[in-house]
Amino acid sequence: MHIAQFLGKTLQGEPNPIFKPANLSDCGPNDIVWVKSYTQERLILLEKRQPGLAICDMKTSEKTTVPTILSENPRLDFIRVLNHFYLEKREACIHPTAIIEKSATVGKDVTIGAYAYIGHDVLIGDGCNIGTGVVIEGKVCLGNRCVIKSNAALGGQGFGFEYDEYGNLIHFPHLGSIITEDDVWIGSCSTVEIGTLGATRIFRGSKIDDLVQVGHNVTVGRNTLIMANTVLCGGCSIGERCWIAPNSVIKEKVNIGDNVTVGLGSVVLRDVEDGVVVAGVPAKPLQ
Amino acid sequence: MYRIKKFEIRASEIADYLNEQLVGNDFIITSPHSIRTYKSSEHSSMEVNRSRSQILIISDHPVPVDLCTGYIISQNPDLDLAYILREFFSTAPINQIHSSAMISEEARIGRNVMVGAHTIIGPDVTIGDNTKIFHNVVINGLVHIGKFCVIKDGAVIGSEGWGFIDDEDGIPFHPPQLGLISIEDRVWIGSNSTIERGMIEETVIHADVKIDDLVHVGAGSHLGQKSKLTAGVVVASHVTIGENVYIAPNAVIREELNIDDDVVIGMGAVVINNLTSGNRYVGNPARLIRKKKRQTDDEKDTVS
């Protein structure tokens, strides 16, 4: 079997021809599925549906009659199979309605969707995928293979105001930049503000979900996951491999260490040390 | 919006512009820097202008002489730096209407208005002079926008209000939303924010209101002058907010509430009752923080 060979693992059971990937709950005889871990219900489903191949853990593999590939992380291996065999590779193209200013630099194999606007001084790395209606303006530098989903806005002016003598609000002109490294993902309708004078930085491999607001001068460390509707206020800094749950708020200038987990709807007001789990309003460490 | 500009200016000229005294030597400044990006200093409440080894500091207290070439004492360093940046080191774009913008012929657009790429402006829209509307914005329905407003990328103003009413069979019925949206002068609306149209009643955003990104303002709401709504705030329908109110990120305000003047609402707060003037409210559901406790909190902050 090609799939077993590709994963470098051994196939147990009859090699069937595999046509398409599917969910466990609605799979058929020529489908490939994945089983996260052993449960009674999942085993019953496997026996009832009889898919062509299952990527699963040791316990499921021992009990089922379906051909299986053993894996320590079935989901990861399933993702690898999808990426290698089933993902249609579209050719990179820039939609004719997209507007790219002359002083912008766009790398090789970049896809830009309809009605996107790429402003002056923007630098886009190779292999980036930019959705429809995305606006990128100001001094923005995107690394290679970044994904920007539809309607995201990068490089807008930050929300910095100061009261003058008469009590009127004066806007602080934001003249900084945004630097995102390689493999960064930014979700639909998310906004990333430009730095006041320094830079807003998103390091390599970080993924930002939909409707997230990243404030000015924020630093997001490597491989961090930030979920939907989170607000990162100005100047806060997040470490590596963190997980920030949906609807959280991080107060301005708060530092969050590496490997931190922030619970659903938390409001983080104070610095968080490495490896701590915090949750609640205001966020407190969990035991 | 702004682009940084190369500019050389003498320190004494900046002092003259701010109407303050320059302490130390006079020299030529070539670029502005923020204290956050300029590492050699430990002072946090001041801003730095740097020229190789020569530094001008704008600060609210005297600075040691070995740290800089000269300094200017200012009551409000952030504001003064903002003035200097705007005056000397930045260029704003020329206000013009982008060729790909789709503006209805019936819309009334004032003088010197900027409209960005792919922006759509409907027939019943009035826009005042000197307003900047960026890219991919949608403005629809009966909308009046004042002068000197800024509407950032992807904002949607005048989309149909939620306003569903269950009919006899319990099926949600959508009544036509015909209300006016009135946005007064110098209002700022952030990226991807939405302002909804009411059924008949007006949605009013008074002068000098600043709305950050990803904010939702429901139908029929009134936002008082100089109020600030930060990112992710949700204001449900028919809420009346007073003047000078500050709402921290991700707070939610229930429908048909009154928020008095000078109220501060904390991060992630869920407001389900009317709030009275001048107080701070936090938590879910939002509760008043007593003033004594607030003072100790402030003291703690200054100590740390």
Side-chain angles (χ1 to χ4, degrees):
Chain A
M1 277 299 293
H2 290 305
I3 290 174
Q5 264 175 20
F6 164 70
L7 291 173
K9 288 175 178 150
T10 48
L11 174 76
Q12 299 179 342
E14 289 285 305
N16 291 332
I18 303 295
F19 297 142
K20 69 178 173 60
N23 276 330
L24 187 54
S25 52
D26 54 0
C27 56
N30 290 105
D31 294 351
I32 175 171
V33 298
W34 63 286
V35 184
K36 194 179 175 187
S37 59
Y38 172 78
T39 62
Q40 196 68 39
E41 294 89 49
R42 285 175 188 153
L43 187 68
I44 292 166
L45 265 177
L46 265 183
E47 294 306 308
K48 192 175 141 201
R49 292 275 177 184
Q50 289 289 326
L53 178 66
I55 301 178
C56 61
D57 63 348
M58 178 74 94
K59 209 169 171 189
T60 320
S61 171
E62 281 169 359
K63 300 205 172 184
T64 183
T65 54
V66 169
T68 55
I69 293 175
L70 263 188
S71 164
E72 277 137 29
N73 189 343
R75 189 169 180 222
L76 178 67
D77 282 332
F78 192 68
I79 290 172
R80 284 187 178 139
V81 169
L82 285 189
N83 276 335
H84 191 260
F85 293 103
Y86 296 103
L87 198 68
E88 256 183 68
K89 288 204 172 59
R90 283 193 210 156
E91 243 175 62
C93 71
I94 294 174
H95 198 273
T97 58
I99 292 170
I100 299 166
E101 297 288 356
K102 274 178 194 153
S103 58
T105 317
V106 178
K108 279 180 270 177
D109 300 330
V110 172
T111 301
I112 299 180
Y115 300 111
Y117 175 79
I118 312 293
H120 298 281
D121 304 336
V122 174
L123 243 160
I124 295 176
D126 298 343
C128 285
N129 190 342
I130 294 171
T132 56
V134 171
V135 176
I136 305 178
E137 55 180 342
K139 260 167 119 177
V140 180
C141 175
L142 294 185
N144 299 330
R145 300 175 301 279
C146 289
V147 175
I148 316 285
K149 283 169 69 185
S150 302
N151 269 5
L154 277 76
Q157 286 283 303
F159 196 67
F161 295 92
E162 197 63 43
Y163 286 103
D164 70 0
E165 309 79 56
Y166 311 107
N168 292 325
L169 287 162
I170 303 292
H171 180 240
F172 194 112
H174 285 54
L175 303 171
S177 55
I178 296 176
I179 300 168
T180 73
E181 293 191 351
D182 298 350
D183 300 304
V184 167
W185 172 293
I186 293 174
S188 300
C189 288
S190 286
T191 62
V192 183
E193 287 180 349
I194 211 153
T196 41
L197 289 164
T200 305
R201 286 165 195 276
I202 302 172
F203 285 98
R204 188 150 55 79
S206 280
K207 313 292 179 203
I208 294 174
D209 202 358
D210 303 349
L211 291 166
V212 173
Q213 208 257 2
V214 181
H216 59 83
N217 299 72
V218 166
T219 308
V220 178
R222 286 184 188 177
N223 297 327
T224 282
L225 269 173
I226 296 172
M227 315 294 284
N229 222 8
T230 293
V231 177
L232 308 178
C233 298
C236 72
S237 135
I238 293 170
E240 298 180 10
R241 294 178 305 284
C242 292
W243 195 83
I244 316 274
N247 232 6
S248 306
V249 188
I250 317 287
K251 196 191 174 198
E252 55 265 29
K253 292 173 195 158
V254 164
N255 292 316
I256 291 186
D258 299 344
N259 295 315
V260 169
T261 303
V262 176
L264 288 161
S266 304
V267 173
V268 182
L269 302 174
R270 283 169 204 271
D271 290 3
V272 181
E273 287 174 17
D274 292 357
V276 176
V277 179
V278 295
V281 181
K284 285 178 182 142
L286 299 183
Q287 295 283 310
Chain B
M1 174 157 102
Y2 292 97
R3 300 176 80 186
I4 198 159
K5 178 171 78 172
K6 280 211 172 109
F7 197 75
E8 294 192 349
I9 183 168
R10 297 194 79 79
S12 57
E13 288 176 88
I14 286 185
D16 285 346
Y17 172 72
L18 296 175
N19 253 334
E20 303 284 353
Q21 205 68 40
L22 172 71
V23 186
N25 298 328
D26 193 9
F27 61 96
I28 291 172
I29 292 165
T30 52
S31 69
H33 278 261
S34 154
I35 198 82
R36 286 186 211 121
T37 54
Y38 189 74
K39 282 170 188 162
S40 71
S41 169
E42 291 152 2
H43 298 259
S44 58
S45 63
M46 55 191 189
E47 305 290 338
V48 173
N49 289 336
R50 183 179 62 168
S51 161
R52 289 184 195 90
S53 59
Q54 291 185 307
I55 306 169
L56 171 72
I57 295 181
I58 301 171
S59 165
D60 56 358
H61 57 270
V63 182
V65 187
D66 55 336
L67 208 67
C68 64
T69 321
Y71 65 87
I72 297 172
I73 299 282
S74 153
Q75 302 293 331
N76 190 343
D78 276 346
L79 175 65
D80 282 339
L81 186 71
Y83 278 141
I84 293 166
L85 289 182
R86 211 169 59 164
E87 190 68 25
F88 303 114
F89 294 105
S90 62
T91 49
I94 303 161
N95 284 358
Q96 59 187 12
I97 293 173
H98 199 278
S99 55
S100 64
M102 282 161 263
I103 301 176
S104 164
E105 285 176 6
E106 293 161 46
R108 278 179 291 170
I109 312 284
R111 274 173 296 173
N112 194 26
V113 168
M114 174 187 166
V115 180
H118 306 307
T119 287
I120 297 169
I121 295 179
D124 302 325
V125 177
T126 311
I127 294 172
D129 302 343
N130 299 310
T131 285
K132 288 183 203 298
I133 297 169
F134 286 88
H135 318 292
N136 281 356
V137 173
V138 178
I139 306 177
N140 232 328
L142 196 55
V143 180
H144 292 327
I145 297 176
K147 297 167 186 169
F148 293 98
C149 292
V150 172
I151 297 168
K152 282 169 64 183
D153 312 312
V156 180
I157 297 173
S159 62
E160 287 283 310
W162 174 249
F164 284 97
I165 301 168
D166 286 356
D167 66 7
E168 305 83 41
D169 307 325
I171 297 165
F173 167 74
H174 188 251
Q177 308 282 315
L178 309 167
L180 166 77
I181 294 180
S182 167
I183 296 173
E184 294 182 358
D185 298 347
R186 297 177 300 281
V187 168
W188 174 288
I189 294 171
S191 303
N192 290 343
S193 286
T194 55
I195 295 171
E196 276 188 355
R197 210 161 1 132
M199 198 156 70
I200 308 160
E201 58 287 335
E202 284 184 20
T203 307
V204 184
I205 296 174
H206 288 284
D208 292 299
V209 169
K210 310 292 177 192
I211 297 174
D212 202 357
D213 305 348
L214 301 173
V215 171
H216 173 81
V217 178
S221 291
H222 286 237
L223 308 186
Q225 285 186 17
K226 295 179 194 167
S227 288
K228 277 191 202 172
L229 277 64
T230 57
V233 169
V234 175
V235 178
S237 58
H238 307 283
V239 174
T240 307
I241 293 178
E243 295 180 12
N244 260 328
V245 172
Y246 179 85
I247 308 180
N250 259 2
V252 181
I253 300 173
R254 217 185 101 159
E255 61 269 35
E256 295 176 13
L257 291 184
N258 269 320
I259 313 288
D260 287 353
D261 297 350
D262 304 308
V263 165
V264 175
I265 298 173
M267 286 193 270
V270 177
V271 180
I272 52 169
N273 291 312
N274 291 339
L275 305 185
T276 50
S277 176
N279 290 321
R280 288 183 176 206
Y281 297 83
V282 295
N284 177 4
R287 291 194 185 93
L288 176 71
I289 319 186
R290 268 178 283 160
K291 277 179 184 165
K292 267 188 185 171
K293 200 183 169 190
R294 195 173 91 205
Q295 275 165 4
T296 52
D297 268 356
D298 284 350
E299 277 161 24
K300 270 182 205 165
D301 283 348
T302 49
V303 170
S304 62

